[in-house]
Structures are given as structure tokens and as C-alpha cells.
Amino acid sequence: MGLVSWIIAAPFLTMVAIVFVPERHWRMIRWIAAVGTGIGLILTCVLTYRYWMAASADLETLRTATMTKLYLVERVAWFKPLGIQYLVGVDGISVSMVILTSLIIFCGVLASWNVEVRTKEFFALLLLLVSGVFGVFLSFDLFLFFMFYELAVLPMYLLIGIWGTGPKEYAAMKLTLMLLVGSAFVLVGFLALFHQSGLHTFDLQQLGSIEYSDRFQWWFFPMIFVGFGVLGALFPFHTWSPDGHSSAPTAVSMLHAGVLMKLGGYGALRIAVYLLPEGAKEWGLFFMALTTINILYGAFGAITQRDLKYFTAYSSVSHCGFVLFGVATLNLMGFKGAVLQMFSHGIMTGLFFGLIGMVYGRTHTRIIPDMGGLAKVMPWLAACFYIAGLASLGLPGLSGFVAETHVFLGGFFGNAWTNVTIMRILTVTATFSIVVTAVYVLRGLATAFQGPITDPHFEKLTDATLTEKLATGILVATLLFVGCFPWLIIDLIEPALYPFVNRLH
Amino acid sequence: MDGDSGWMMQHAWLIPALPLVSFAVVGLLISPYWKKGAGVIATLSIVASMVCAYVLAWEYFTLYPAGGEHPILVPWSFEWLRYQPGLAANVGVLVDPISLLLMIVVTTVSALVHIYSNAYMHGDYGFGRYFTFLNLFTFSMLGLVVAPDIIQMYVCWELVGVSSFLLIGFYYNKPSAVAASKKAFIVTRFADLGFLVGVLLLSFYGYRIFPDWSAEVGAVANGLAGTQPVDFQYLNDPVFLAKFAALDTTFLGISLLTLSMCLVFMGAAGKSAMFPLHIWLPDAMEGPTPVSALIHAATMVVAGVYLVARLFPAFAFSGTAALLVAYVGAFTSLFAAVIGTTQDDIKRVLAFSTLSQLGYMMLALGVSTAEHTLGYTASMFHLFTHAFFKALLFMGAGAVIHAVHTNSIWEMGGLWRKMPITHITFLVATLAISGIWPFAGFFSKDEILAAALGSGHYVIFGVAVLVAGLTAFYMFRIYFVTFWGKGRGAGAAHAHEAPALMWMPMALLAVLSAVTGFFPMAEYVHLGEAEGHHGINLAVVIPATLFALIGIAMAASLYIGDGHRAVALAKMLGSVHQTIKQKFYIDEVYLFITHRIIFHRIARPIAWFDKRMVDGGVDASGWATRSGGRALSLLQTGQVQTYGLWFTGGVAFVVLILWSALV
């Protein structure tokens, strides 16, 4: 079993370990979860290093490649009659997503330190889900991909339905059903690819080695793109997100908004654009227009929200719009911006939801106008909130800026197959979000954290505990790290994107 | 870099780096545990940075003496953000006369403000946080000043914006301060939208034209191989500008060069609070007074002027964009000066005065052309002198506010006896800003007026002369009301002189305000041939000084004594006075747009649409599925008789069809 398999297996094995611990030792359970995800984080570092060593050697060949080059590949035939394999490996995009997932789940476990209801089942399901997420990012066989994809979506139903708040059953049902409709589209697309290729395989690279007819691409690109788009909060299929996120418990919202929504953008790029480049050229402008709506609509939607979680969820709709917008620009900067935005938004929104959980645990309200002046009693949490907010409005020095300028430049530079003027108009329209985002972020945070303390019992609240400081500190440090040393992560991602661009030509 | 350049030149990155390191150290390690140490360390780091800036300037001007050629050097840079091959943003340090000028201004004023703040903020609940933010600001501002490319400029531009936001909202449980900080950030952010689109345009066409340019100028042979399409040196290059301006593509009939420069100017206008984006600056006075002195008078607000100066060749090449700069600047200087005559809050008068003076600097840049660059020199000169006397005015106001605990000039009065040092320094600064010989403002303002007159823009010249009179009037108005007459408020009675840590920086600034006018700026800051405005141009000096003296005389006649004449005049002017006092109701217009239109007509309907229509659609599909299922489930009653009935019916139906088919 190679390193990549170990990364997928680590959360799963941790889950198994947790299953065998009696419920009454709930303190031990959370320690096991923390250690297990911590090991995952270490494995991720090793993976990054090994990928980097291997990939930096063939940087030049990648520049002209039209096929994704995988590293640390493990391939086992699984179900021969249908050509299904266990095929895992990494490229630059996966490795950045794996880093994101490892960070979020580790911090998510720390942020759930106080889950006392059914601790065992909670952590077990959470870790199962994470295994699925790692699987999606690391598998390169469509069937395996789809299996992990479902594994990542389904435990969400239980996690929200049992540990959630508010109208949790409704939210859980809505989220699951909408995402399943999306996966149905994706599944149909996969099967169509399987048949159309006639290669009798689900191997992504082999499927990518042939050209599909324009007519086929025209029909199936939007199908797969929208199928993934549902998970990526593509307008108008985004409404599972506000309800789902606001009902979910802290770690689940962190993971869901931070990582799961990225599966959408990831799939759209990895599969839809990679396999169906002609379809992408035909539909690029349409999806650019749709995601422009996403970006502004989410931002304006966030202005009037009163609940911190709804507020963040709408902001996620806006920011995930940047991911799909970047994918739809069909050029190197756009793709890179999309991947960077996935990373950046993942960390940022994970931080947001983690913080909301911490604040809610103290104030027992998430309604913004009911709070006020909290910065005085919880300076650490307020500072982290502001950093997350500034990252979300694209402040340079934090990761959001790097991602957003890539996306804007990508949209503005345009590509050879689309009307560049319309692309520019859409891009300039999308840039208005930087102002709207500033409006809702500053309004929301100023009401909650600044001004005089509105409720006398807030005076007695305490600031973050050590665990909470660790969890938020790691995420803040990551935001700063990516914002200040962007070339490190760009060097990781960029080589993997050349094939995507070259295939379009 | 060649080997004979000095040590400081090779380590010029230290100038912004010192405040950055101090920001991190003070913010994370020191301020939570040792309040007093935060102030000391923050101050020392800025002083060190200031010394470095002076040494750098000395090295540069030793290498390239005054009056000669002053090349642009980039002694240190590295690739920071690679967007795609051939388009990357560098981070680096650019050294040329104007960046040195700004480095000196920023570090000097910042160091003095840091020293002053140690006393002013003494005992405040956020002492450590204050110095952390102040260091962050200084770092960002220095990063902006030394930016070798437009991306670094934009990055630091946003960072100074956020430091300003943090410092305006420093008293975070005071609602008015919180509102002012939001307003400042959002208004400048809106302006930055223009800047951003300008950057997108410049990057795209810069990138597109780059290969042509590179071939034409022989970039590789001339050692320009490392140039990026976003570097200022490239964007200001005449070959590039000619190619850019010659493009066929236009936008609504405007050439793309002009369009991008106008968009960039929108960003500059936001940061330098030009009309109509000026509304944030008067409110920004909610921040602690030393912050106003540093950020909202001497340094950050001149970033817009600096940006225009940095891209001056491009603005001048466009011509139209430069004219826009000139007229916006001239209008703002008049508009703000008029409002300044009616405000009661000492800091707000100074804020409007800052607006007006920034308008001066802008108009000076706008009236100059590639051939007549006197305005360029004049603008930088005025930036230099203004930084000192305006910072001093704010520090003086701070000392007064510190003593009397109010901002309203009508509750002050008679302070000259109680605060003699503050009084003298304030008077020096007031004379300087009013343009009275031999104080600094006289020389720089004189040069701006000469540039306006020389350019042939007589309207602008007329406005500028009128503004000179208005400036003297409103400045002497607050001077007389604050320091002369009898103490009016309770605070004024118990006022006392500021502590030494406060008055010493003020005294130093007073000296600078008095003497910097004699600095031969044209020898150091010029484009092309040094075009000095030597000697005194009587056509400029006579009207300017005359207007200033009339202004002072009017202020004296209205405001010395009990001020009944001023009240009578205000009553006589009635609604005119009221309109001016309400700042021409611009704030109300903004409030209407943001609240009534954006909030109620856009954001609310979108939220409603999302809840009712989009989400309603989702719920409706769920409901349809469920009710469909329920309707079908009615068929499954579990009663054999019903099933039998359906069965019989079905059979009968089939038989009927078969029968009819057969027959």
C-alpha cells in the first residue's frame, strides 16, 4: 500500500479505531480523532514533498503536455469485466486539495472538542466522510471517483440530521436530495463517456486520450458541469447551501463549506473541462455569465442576512462563484485562480464556520443584531473573524487576493474561442463584488463585534480556549502564508494546469 | 546594481522591512504582555527606518548629484506572484527622487507621530494595539512608496486602506468611530474598483505590447530583460505609451490609454479624497488625533497624488487624463475650502483643509505636460511641505483637544496663555499653510500657482488664487477662535501645556514648516531638464499674497472678539450658509444611494427572490414529487376487493379493445 492509499485510509482506520472505543470514553475518542487527523496532516506533508521532488524534475515537459501526469500512482484491477480499477495518484491540483482537506479536518476536530452528544458516532461519521473526500481528490478512475464522491456526500445527511440545529431534518433532506440530483447528472455523464469512448475503461487518462465528437461534447459538457456545479453552489442550484450550512454542526459546516463544495469545482475542472474541451469552448461564455450572477447574487444576498451562518453561506455562494468563473475562463490564469480560490476559500470559510461555532457556543445566538461589542470580551475570536473577513474581501497579504486577481486577470485576458469583449464586460461586472463584499463583511462584523456591548450577560463571556486558539491559529497562519508567499503554492499547482490549457488548443 | 553603490542602497528593503518586523513582534509578542514596551519598540523601529531613509537619500544624491540626471533604480526585487509566463508581479524597492522624498516624509512624520503618541495615548486601553496598527500602516505606506510595479502599488494601496480602517475604528466601542471606519473603507474600496480595472487593462495591454516593445528597444541588449509588463518603468516608457495610444481599439471613443489612466485616477481620487469621493475623510477624524496627523494629513492621503506622479509620463502622454486630474483637483480645492470656512470641529476644518491642499497637488500635476514639468516638481514640493505643516496642525489640534476635551472650537478660546508652545507652533503652521513669506507653504504654493499660470489654464490659476485666500481665512478663523479671546468652555479654563513628548515633535515640525521652503526642490525632483522656477514671479506672488492677507484680515475682523459679526453674516447668508455648513448635502446623496437604492432596491429583493423564487422552486419540486407519490399511493389500498375491481375493469378494457379490433 503506497503513500496515497495511506492518506485515504488514515481517516478510515481512525474511524475504525473509534468504533471500538466505548462511548463513555468520549474524551479518548476525540483524542484519537485528533491524533488520527494529525497523522493525516503529517502524511500530507510527506506527500507534498514527494510530489514536489518528482514533479519539479519534469517541469519542462509538462509545459507542453496535453495529458495530466500522475505521480505516486497505485493501480490495481478491481472489476475487470467493466474495466474498473483502483487507480490513485496525485497531480498539482490534487495535492493542493489534499493539503486543504487535511488542514480543515484537523482544525475541525479541534473545533468540535466539546461535542458531547453521541461523540463516537459523530467523529466516526466525520472521518468516514473525510476518507471519501481524500478519495475523490486522489482517484483517477471515474468509477472510483464516483464511489468516493457519494461516500463524501451521504454521511452529511446523518451528521446534519442528528447533530444539527434549527430545522435540521429539512436542511439535511434538502441538501442530500439536491446533491444527489447533481450526482445523478454526473453519473449519466460518466456512463455516457464510458460508452462513447468504446475503450471499456473508466481510467480518466485513457478516456482523455481520445477526442469525442463535437455533438457529444455539446450535450455532455453542460450535463457534467452542472452536475458538479450543484455541489459548487452554481446559481440557481445553490439553495441547499445556506440551509445546509446553517443547520450543520460546526465541524460539519467547516468541512462542508471548506472542502466539499470544492469537489464541485474540482470535478468540473478535472473531468468536464479535461475530457470535453470542445464542449467547454462552446459553453464557456454561458457558464461565465451564470457564475457572474453567482458572484454578485451571493454577495448581495449576504448583505441582508441576519444569521451569521446564513451570512457566511451566501458569501460562500459568491466566492464559489469565483471558482467556477475561473474554470469557465478557459485559460491558465483562470484555472489557476480557480484552484487557488478553492484553496483560499476552503481555509477562509472553514475559519469562518469554526469561529461562528465558537461564538455561538458562548452567546447562544447567531443573530447578528443580537450581538454587539463582542470584541471587548473575546479579542482573539474577533481578530480572527476580522482576518477571515478581510481575506474574503480580497485583502492583499491574505490568500483571497492572490486567487481573485488570478480569476479577474483570467477573465479579462479572455481566450481565443470566446468573444473577448463580452468576457471583459462580465469580468468587470464581477469585480463589483469586491465592493459589495466589503459592504457586507464590514457591516456584519461591525455589528457583531464593535460598538458597545448590547447584552449585559455578554460581559462575562470568555475568549478562545487553547484548543480553539490552536484551531483558528493554524487556519489564520495558512491564510497569511498563502497571501504572503503565493509562489510556493503556485509552483505546486501551475505545472498540473498546463495540460488542461494545452488540450484546449 | 553596480558595485560602487552604497551599502544602504543594496539593503534598501530594510526601510519597509523594519516596521514590518516590528509590527509582527509588537503585535504578537510584546503588546499583550508589556504595554509600555510596545510603544518604545514600535517607535525605535520607525526611527531606525528613518535613519536608513536618510542614509539612502544621501547615497543616492552622492551618486547622482543635485541638478543632474536622476535615474530610476531598482536595487532589490524578486518575483512574487507569477500570473502566467511573461506576466509576473515583482516585489522590490524602487529608488528615485520622488520615492526618496516620500520615504523621508513618511518616516519622519511617522517617527514624530510615534513619539507624540507615546504621550497622547498614555493610559489608553488599546495602547499596544494602537502601536501595532501604526507600525502596520508605516510598513504599508513605505511599501507603496517604493513599489516598482503597479501590482505592488495596489497591494500596499489596499494595506494602507486597511490600516487606516483599523485606526479610524480604533475606539471600537464608539459607534461613530465604527461607522466612520466602515465608510472610509467602503468609499476607498469603491474607488479601488476603478484602480483594479485600470490595472487589468494595463496588465493586458502591457502584456500584449510587451514583445513588440522588447524588440524595438532591444530590451535584452539594454539590460532590461527582467522587466515585467506591470513595471512602472515599462508603463512610463514612451515607446510603450506610443504603441498603447496607437491601438485601434477604443472604448466609447476614448483611447484605451486615456481610459486606463482615468480608471487609475479613480483609485487615486478615492485615496486622496477628491470630489466626489471625498466624503470619507472628514469622518475619518473619529480616529485618534495622531492618526489623523499621520495618515489623514501627511502620508496616506497623498498616496493618490503619488500614484499620479509615479505614472506622470503616462498621464501626460494621454493629455485628457491629465486634464481630468487638473480640473478634479482644482474643483476639490475650491469646494473643500468653501466648506472649511463653516465647520465648528477643529479637526474637521483641518480635514477640509487637507482636501483642499490635496486638490492643489493634483491640479499642479494635471497642468503639467511632458514639456512643462514645473507642476510636477511643484506638486511634490507642496506634498513635502504640506506633510510637515499639516501634521503639525493636527498635532497642535491634538494637544488642544487633549487639554480641553472637546473638538468644538467654540468651547476653546484664550489658549495662547495656557499653552504657549502649542500656540506658537500652531501659528507657524497656520502661517505656512496660508502661504506667508518666508514660511514653507509660500514657496510650494507659489510654485504651483506659477505652474498653473505658465500652463495657460487661467481658470485653474484663478481658482487656485481664490483658494489661497480662503485657506488663509479659514485657518486664521480657527486660530483666532481657539487661541485668542476668552476661554469659553469648562475645559478651556483648566487647560495646560502638553507634555514634553508631545511638544518636542511639534517644535521640530514647526522648524521644518518654517524652513523647508528654502529647499531647492527643483534641483532634486524634476523630469528631464531641471526646470527651476528661480526667483520670484511677481505675477504670482502679488495676487496670492494679497488674497492671503485679505483672508487673514477678514478672519480677524469677524472672529477677534465675541464674533457677533460672524453670526450676523451667517444669518444674512441664510440658506447659503446652511448648505455650505451641511457640506452641500453630499453625504445625504450618498446615504440615499446606498441605503434607499442599493440596500432596499437591490439587496432586499435579491434576498426575497432567493427565498421565495429559487428556493421556492426547489421546495415546489419536492412538494410535487411527494404529492405525486401520495396520489399514486391511493391506488394501494391493500383491499383485495379493490384490486379485484381494478383487475376486472382492466380485463374488460383489454377485451373490449381486442373485440373491437377483431370486429
Side-chain angles (χ1 to χ4, degrees), chain B residues 358-612:
Chain B
L358 290 168
Y360 257 173
M361 298 175 208
M362 283 289 188
L363 82 84
L365 281 173
V367 297
S368 28
T369 57
E371 294 78 38
H372 299 286
T373 56
L374 176 62
Y376 174 82
T377 307
S379 175
M380 291 296 111
F381 194 11
H382 199 58
L383 188 159
F384 182 68
T385 58
H386 174 255
F388 298 129
F389 58 68
K390 188 50 70 63
L392 174 54
L393 285 170
F394 271 106
M395 286 185 179
V400 169
I401 293 167
H402 201 67
V404 301
H405 304 290
T406 173
N407 279 16
S408 167
I409 50 173
W410 302 113
E411 291 172 36
M412 302 171 181
L415 293 175
W416 68 272
R417 208 192 304 271
K418 294 187 171 110
M419 310 179 71
I421 302 172
T422 307
H423 168 241
I424 293 293
T425 55
F426 200 91
L427 179 61
V428 169
T430 306
L431 288 165
I433 194 174
S434 305
I436 303 299
W437 191 87
F439 296 95
F442 170 82
F443 296 92
S444 52
K445 201 177 278 187
D446 175 53
E447 208 162 281
I448 287 178
L449 294 172
L453 187 65
S455 70
H457 293 290
Y458 297 113
V459 177
I460 291 181
F461 174 73
V463 168
V465 172
L466 179 61
V467 171
L470 282 168
T471 308
F473 173 74
Y474 66 68
M475 283 313 301
F476 273 89
R477 169 176 175 262
I478 59 171
Y479 166 74
F480 286 134
V481 174
T482 306
F483 290 98
W484 288 38
K486 283 194 281 289
R488 279 175 290 266
H494 303 109
H496 51 84
E497 184 56 275
L501 269 184
M502 280 165 70
W503 70 252
M504 281 193 306
M506 286 160 60
L508 191 58
L509 282 173
V511 173
L512 288 172
S513 306
V515 302
T516 45
F518 294 102
F519 186 75
M521 190 58 78
E523 302 281 309
Y524 292 91
V525 176
H526 53 85
L527 283 176
E529 288 291 294
E531 186 188 359
H533 161 60
H534 300 293
I536 283 174
N537 183 347
L538 288 181
V540 172
V541 171
I542 291 174
T545 309
L546 196 65
F547 268 76
L549 290 175
I550 293 172
I552 295 172
M554 280 175 66
S557 74
L558 287 172
Y559 294 103
I560 294 181
D562 59 357
H564 68 275
R565 288 197 207 91
V567 177
L569 184 66
K571 204 165 267 170
M572 198 180 82
L573 289 171
S575 64
V576 176
H577 177 258
Q578 199 52 29
T579 310
I580 296 173
K581 192 157 184 175
Q582 296 304 320
K583 304 165 230 164
F584 294 95
Y585 299 101
I586 306 280
D587 278 305
E588 281 70 18
V589 173
Y590 270 90
L591 212 59
F592 178 80
I593 293 172
T594 53
H595 225 249
R596 290 285 148 145
I597 296 182
I598 295 181
F599 197 72
H600 286 288
R601 295 272 171 272
I602 299 179
R604 281 263 173 87
I606 282 183
W608 179 88
F609 179 79
D610 202 59
K611 197 98 204 114
R612 301 271 168 252

Side-chain angles (χ1 to χ4, degrees), chain B residues 35-67:
Chain B
K35 293 269 180 265
K36 203 166 178 131
V40 174
I41 291 173
T43 311
L44 285 178
S45 78
I46 306 296
V47 171
S49 182
M50 177 178 83
V51 171
C52 290
Y54 285 128
V55 175
L56 183 68
W58 180 76
E59 278 182 7
Y60 181 88
F61 287 112
T62 314
L63 229 58
Y64 309 102

Side-chain angles (χ1 to χ4, degrees), chain B residues 7-79:
Chain B
W7 185 88
M8 198 61 241
M9 187 68 88
Q10 282 155 14
H11 297 81
W13 50 269
L14 273 173
I15 294 170
L18 283 167
L20 176 64
V21 171
S22 153
F23 156 67
V25 171
V26 170
L28 287 173
L29 303 175
I30 297 178
S31 100
Y33 311 107
W34 185 33
K35 293 269 180 265
K36 203 166 178 131
V40 174
I41 291 173
T43 311
L44 285 178
S45 78
I46 306 296
V47 171
S49 182
M50 177 178 83
V51 171
C52 290
Y54 285 128
V55 175
L56 183 68
W58 180 76
E59 278 182 7
Y60 181 88
F61 287 112
T62 314
L63 229 58
Y64 309 102
E69 278 281 299
H70 288 130
I72 296 177
L73 307 177
V74 183
W76 178 83
S77 78
F78 69 95
E79 187 181 281

Side-chain angles (χ1 to χ4, degrees), chain B residues 107-451:
Chain B
T107 51
T108 309
V109 177
S110 182
L112 293 176
V113 166
H114 271 77
I115 295 170
Y116 178 93
S117 299
N118 274 295
Y120 188 87
M121 300 300 287
H122 182 77
D124 209 284
Y125 63 90
F127 193 75
R129 184 164 54 93
Y130 174 83
F131 280 98
T132 312
F133 291 165
L134 217 52
N135 267 348
L136 173 67
F137 168 75
T138 311
F139 153 69
S140 320
M141 189 67 207
L142 287 168
L144 186 155
V145 165
V146 299
D149 61 53
I150 199 159
I151 306 275
Q152 185 182 336
M153 180 71 98
Y154 183 80
V155 165
C156 293
W157 190 268
E158 294 292 308
L159 289 176
V160 290
V162 84
S163 347
S164 152
F165 162 79
L166 291 169
L167 283 164
I168 296 169
F170 178 74
Y171 296 115
Y172 60 80
N173 37 27
K174 191 171 151 201
S176 60
V178 174
S181 69
K182 275 193 293 181
K183 184 171 175 182
F185 194 86
I186 290 168
V187 173
T188 47
R189 186 79 175 174
F190 177 71
D192 293 349
L193 183 65
F195 190 9
L196 178 66
V197 178
V199 169
L200 292 178
L201 263 167
L202 285 173
S203 326
F204 179 73
Y205 287 99
Y207 176 78
R208 164 79 66 84
I209 296 168
F210 195 75
D212 279 358
W213 172 85
S214 188
E216 188 162 332
V217 302
V220 180
N222 290 323
L224 296 168
T227 310
Q228 290 292 343
V230 287
D231 284 356
F232 284 122
Q233 275 173 286
Y234 168 71
L235 295 175
N236 281 332
D237 190 278
V239 178
F240 163 73
L241 289 172
K243 286 183 186 300
F244 192 14
L247 286 177
D248 292 338
T249 331
T250 55
F251 179 81
L252 302 175
I254 307 169
S255 85
L256 287 177
L257 172 64
T258 301
L259 178 67
S260 20
M261 285 306 130
C262 290
L263 285 165
V264 168
F265 177 63
M266 181 173 161
K271 198 65 91 193
S272 287
M274 292 291 108
F275 179 87
L277 297 167
H278 64 279
I279 53 158
W280 65 271
L281 187 59
D283 289 24
M285 298 300 128
E286 290 288 346
T289 307
V291 169
S292 311
L294 175 62
I295 301 185
H296 305 116
T299 58
M300 186 190 81
V301 288
V302 301
V305 178
Y306 180 68
L307 176 62
V308 176
R310 178 53 73 210
L311 281 167
F312 178 76
F315 275 95
F317 201 97
S318 154
T320 320
L323 267 187
L324 179 74
V325 174
Y327 280 98
V328 169
F331 182 77
T332 307
S333 71
L334 179 63
F335 174 82
V338 170
I339 297 177
T341 57
T342 56
Q343 300 299 304
D344 298 329
D345 178 330
I346 185 166
K347 284 181 76 181
R348 281 185 194 242
V349 176
L350 294 178
F352 280 104
S353 149
T354 306
L355 287 179
S356 173
Q357 301 299 310
L358 290 168
Y360 257 173
M361 298 175 208
M362 283 289 188
L363 82 84
L365 281 173
V367 297
S368 28
T369 57
E371 294 78 38
H372 299 286
T373 56
L374 176 62
Y376 174 82
T377 307
S379 175
M380 291 296 111
F381 194 11
H382 199 58
L383 188 159
F384 182 68
T385 58
H386 174 255
F388 298 129
F389 58 68
K390 188 50 70 63
L392 174 54
L393 285 170
F394 271 106
M395 286 185 179
V400 169
I401 293 167
H402 201 67
V404 301
H405 304 290
T406 173
N407 279 16
S408 167
I409 50 173
W410 302 113
E411 291 172 36
M412 302 171 181
L415 293 175
W416 68 272
R417 208 192 304 271
K418 294 187 171 110
M419 310 179 71
I421 302 172
T422 307
H423 168 241
I424 293 293
T425 55
F426 200 91
L427 179 61
V428 169
T430 306
L431 288 165
I433 194 174
S434 305
I436 303 299
W437 191 87
F439 296 95
F442 170 82
F443 296 92
S444 52
K445 201 177 278 187
D446 175 53
E447 208 162 281
I448 287 178
L449 294 172

